[in-house]
Amino acid sequence: MSTFLLVHGAWHSGRCWDRVVPMLESAGHRVLAPSLTGYGDKAHLLGPEVGLETHVEDVVKLIHEEDLTEVVLVGHSYAGLVVSSVANEVPERITHLVYLDAMVPEHGETGVDVQPMTRNLIDLAARSDSGWRIPPLPEMPPPLGLFGVTDPADVAWLRTMLSDQPVRCLQQRVRLENPAADSVPRTHIHCVGAEPEGIVRRPVATTQPNGTPARIRELPTGHDCMITMPAALSELLLESALR
């Protein structure tokens, strides 16, 4: 049995995994899908001081409090920054890293470095009344939809879990100076449906940091694949657990 720790991306909450959790549990695994500070049941904690370091602390604290080991750590979108940093902090507790249509940083980089279009979002926030709140991206005409979700009922459900993103999440730098984290195997899952203009996906190196060949999988859907293709995603996650 593995423990899956599913970390949501910017603007979302842990509820976005609701369709995936029971599928992984039915395969005999333990699954945790927390909301990060500022989202879901922690939305009241949203503030300008919340940043990447806050969210890394959220996950590391949960791992220690629950004494989690053999963790398959999954980061969606922005949470690629989070899970990379978590693996740097507690590599001995992580058996596999999964980057789910995610930002994949190098040491010392910010979200802006990885996804340059986020600079525009920060600039817009700086000119807003708050100075720090980045609202969720707007719904686009199909096939783009809302984070790749186009079914009206699913869009309505997704809207219930969205919150603003603090700019510090994209401004604080990732720390990846622990060589032990390089030994953690990783899988990259790319959503290859329609993508909004300006989104950049870095090419994945042919060799993982641990020296093994890169593992890249694709899903023919939009960004929020846990909503649009939960069964196919669950199969890929279970495959990762077996590696």
Side-chain angles (χ1 to χ4, degrees), residues 12-20 146 149 151-162 224 226-228 230:
H12 291 56
S13 78
R15 291 174 54 213
C16 70
W17 303 102
D18 281 1
R19 296 175 180 175
V20 173
L146 183 63
V149 179
D151 178 82
D154 287 346
V155 169
W157 178 58
L158 175 56
R159 288 190 185 280
T160 67
M161 66 184 79
L162 298 180
D224 278 5
M226 71 287 291
I227 294 174
T228 59

Side-chain angles (χ1 to χ4, degrees), residues 7-15 34-59 78 132-136 159-167 169:
V7 186
H8 65 81
W11 301 296
H12 291 56
S13 78
R15 291 174 54 213
S35 290
L36 300 173
T37 296
Y39 307 98
D41 58 344
K42 302 181 183 70
H44 61 287
L45 300 175
L46 186 69
E49 73 286 351
V50 174
L52 173 62
E53 293 175 4
T54 312
H55 294 155
V56 173
E57 183 180 355
D58 287 342
V59 179
Y78 151 77
W132 59 271
R133 301 176 75 112
I134 302 175
R159 288 190 185 280
T160 67
M161 66 184 79
L162 298 180
S163 302
D164 291 349
Q165 177 89 343
V167 297
C169 296

Side-chain angles (χ1 to χ4, degrees), residues 146-213:
L146 183 63
F147 297 103
V149 179
T150 57
D151 178 82
D154 287 346
V155 169
W157 178 58
L158 175 56
R159 288 190 185 280
T160 67
M161 66 184 79
L162 298 180
S163 302
D164 291 349
Q165 177 89 343
V167 297
R168 285 172 65 87
C169 296
L170 301 171
Q171 294 172 324
Q172 291 183 324
R173 299 188 180 278
V174 174
R175 293 175 53 202
L176 304 178
E177 75 274 28
N178 187 349
D182 290 344
S183 65
V184 179
R186 49 203 73 191
T187 295
H188 299 262
I189 301 176
H190 295 161
C191 298
V192 295
E195 291 186 351
E197 185 177 352
I199 298 296
V200 176
R201 176 181 289 126
R202 286 179 166 177
V204 176
T206 57
T207 304
Q208 297 188 46
N210 66 3
T212 61

Side-chain angles (χ1 to χ4, degrees), residues 3 12 18 22 48 55 89 93 95-96 98 108-109 112 127 137 143 157 163 190 194 197 199:
T3 296
H12 291 56
D18 281 1
H55 294 155
E89 294 289 327
R93 293 176 178 260
T95 60
H96 207 99
V98 179
E109 288 189 321
V112 175
R127 295 195 295 269
L137 298 179
W157 178 58
S163 302
H190 295 161
E197 185 177 352
I199 298 296

Side-chain angles (χ1 to χ4, degrees), residues 219-232:
L219 289 173
T221 188
H223 188 53
D224 278 5
C225 57
M226 71 287 291
I227 294 174
T228 59
M229 295 189 71

